[in-house]
Amino acid sequence: MKEKLKLHIQSRIDQYVNKSRHSGRALINEDTISRKQEMHRRRGAEIVKCAATGRILSMHKDEEGETAVYEVHVRYLIKLNGELYMEEEADHRYAVWNGDDIVQDVPLHEEGTNTEEVPHAPLVEDEWDRNVRFTYNRLEAVRYAEQWWNTFNPKYKKFDVDCTNYISQCLHEGGAPMVGYPKKSGAWWMRNKDWSYTWTVANALRWYLPVAKSGMKSREVARADLLMPGDVICYDFQGDGRFDHNTIVVAKDPNNEPLVNAHTYNSRMRYWKYEDSTAYTPNIKYKFFHILDRN
């Protein structure tokens, strides 16, 4: 199975980049990344190089067949206003084999997946200790976001839909204190293999950020270019008021637009609008939150 899987992974890699039969040079497969290329063209950017590698994460065999989880790690070299930066994404996939045939090959997690039900209304925070003080260390929040963008810190619980858990970790590692344990709603914490809704659920964190009064503090801003590294963007892909995804700003591009990191579909230095996402719709709505010190 391992050799068959290696060949299959190579075929998946070839969907992003393959070699010219004449020169041996790597060529971008425009059919696969056309949505991403078009998004970058609209903002005046260009994908000048693409590289992809694959690795097997796990394999399993029983009487019902053979299964595997594998990763395709894609790197895009982006040129904008004469400057270069690297965007990365990790596509984790689940494959099922029956003899020599692949009967299933699907993403392990779809972008925009949101299975947790939390009320749309703002989550009113209880009267926790108002004397909690902290200075938000943006450098540490971004350092953490970069270190763990495509892996999982074992000191925190891992979730299948991990985007908000990852953002909460970044905020906490930047100095935002947990508050409200053991209350599940209107608080923000993870402890003893338990957690608040706001720590792990995209919609809950979106509503909590503007009303938090005890530990974390933020201010909603009108435009993405007003954000700084360490700030948060929330995504409502369907535009129905239920937010599906969160990212953290890790850098600004030459146009002063945010570049973001995220989990679930793990990505790094991605252009914030997500117009290349399979979850994107014309109805998408965003919320922009600038994280503040609490002095």
Side-chain angles (χ1 to χ4, degrees):
M1 176 187 175
K2 190 171 184 179
E3 292 305 313
K4 293 186 293 184
L5 183 56
K6 285 181 179 179
L7 290 173
H8 179 65
I9 292 174
Q10 184 59 54
S11 69
R12 175 68 60 177
I13 290 171
D14 289 343
Q15 293 183 24
Y16 291 92
V17 58
N18 49 52
K19 289 186 177 180
S20 167
R21 295 179 181 178
H22 303 291
S23 66
R25 293 178 57 190
L27 301 175
I28 298 173
N29 190 330
E30 296 190 7
D31 292 337
T32 303
I33 65 171
S34 59
R35 186 194 299 240
K36 186 179 291 288
Q37 282 188 315
E38 180 57 32
M39 178 194 69
H40 284 304
R41 287 192 188 107
R42 285 195 295 270
R43 59 190 281 255
E46 177 188 6
I47 301 175
V48 296
K49 187 176 182 180
C50 178
T53 57
R55 61 176 178 142
I56 300 169
L57 301 179
S58 65
M59 300 172 63
H60 179 70
K61 182 177 182 179
D62 58 27
E63 63 276 4
E64 295 183 359
E66 300 171 305
T67 63
V69 175
Y70 69 94
E71 173 193 273
V72 176
H73 184 169
V74 190
R75 300 170 180 85
Y76 304 95
L77 186 62
I78 311 296
K79 185 176 182 180
L80 176 63
N81 294 346
E83 297 185 26
L84 298 170
Y85 71 89
M86 185 73 72
E87 176 186 342
E88 300 181 68
E89 63 186 30
D91 186 7
H92 295 103
R93 303 188 66 84
Y94 176 76
V96 179
W97 298 76
N98 185 356
D100 291 331
D101 298 324
I102 305 167
V103 295
Q104 187 179 24
D105 182 358
V106 295
L108 199 59
H109 306 296
E110 294 281 0
E111 275 198 318
T113 301
N114 189 342
T115 58
E116 301 258 14
E117 290 293 337
V118 174
H120 287 199
L123 300 171
V124 178
E125 186 181 63
D126 284 350
E127 293 289 331
W128 311 120
D129 183 0
R130 298 296 193 227
N131 295 318
V132 175
R133 299 288 181 265
F134 79 97
T135 299
Y136 186 49
N137 189 326
R138 296 178 177 278
L139 182 62
E140 281 301 303
V142 170
R143 182 200 62 79
Y144 186 90
E146 289 284 83
Q147 179 180 357
W148 298 101
W149 81 269
N150 192 29
T151 187
F152 301 90
N153 187 342
K155 82 175 186 179
Y156 294 100
K157 181 176 173 59
K158 172 187 172 183
F159 296 85
D160 288 339
V161 180
D162 199 64
C163 69
T164 304
N165 178 41
Y166 168 69
I167 299 306
S168 290
Q169 291 175 34
C170 294
L171 293 169
H172 182 57
E173 296 293 330
M178 299 182 192
V179 294
Y181 174 82
K183 187 175 175 62
K184 300 286 283 185
S185 182
W188 185 72
W189 54 270
M190 173 176 278
R191 188 188 301 180
N192 300 332
K193 299 182 179 179
D194 198 5
W195 53 89
S196 66
Y197 297 129
T198 53
W199 186 277
T200 62
V201 181
N203 195 52
L205 182 62
R206 172 265 175 271
W207 285 112
Y208 181 71
L209 283 170
V211 300
K213 298 180 177 65
S214 300
M216 186 163 42
K217 184 179 181 181
S218 70
R219 180 180 69 246
E220 185 176 350
V221 297
R223 304 190 315 271
D225 63 297
L226 298 175
L227 297 175
M228 299 169 58
D231 288 337
V232 174
I233 302 177
C234 304
Y235 299 75
D236 173 5
F237 288 114
Q238 300 297 324
D240 59 4
R242 184 170 180 263
F243 281 73
D244 314 283
H245 187 54
N246 296 308
T247 67
I248 184 168
V249 179
V250 294
K252 303 293 283 292
D253 72 13
N255 289 341
N256 198 38
E257 297 275 2
L259 302 173
V260 300
N261 286 17
H263 264 199
T264 302
Y265 188 89
N266 298 350
S267 54
R268 173 182 177 268
M269 297 282 282
R270 186 172 182 174
Y271 182 54
W272 70 270
K273 282 192 175 181
Y274 265 63
E275 293 170 329
D276 58 330
S277 171
T278 55
Y280 177 85
T281 76
N283 298 321
I284 192 169
K285 294 179 181 177
Y286 309 93
K287 289 289 182 179
F288 311 112
F289 293 104
H290 176 61
I291 308 301
L292 302 171
D293 297 339
R294 187 174 290 283
N295 300 316

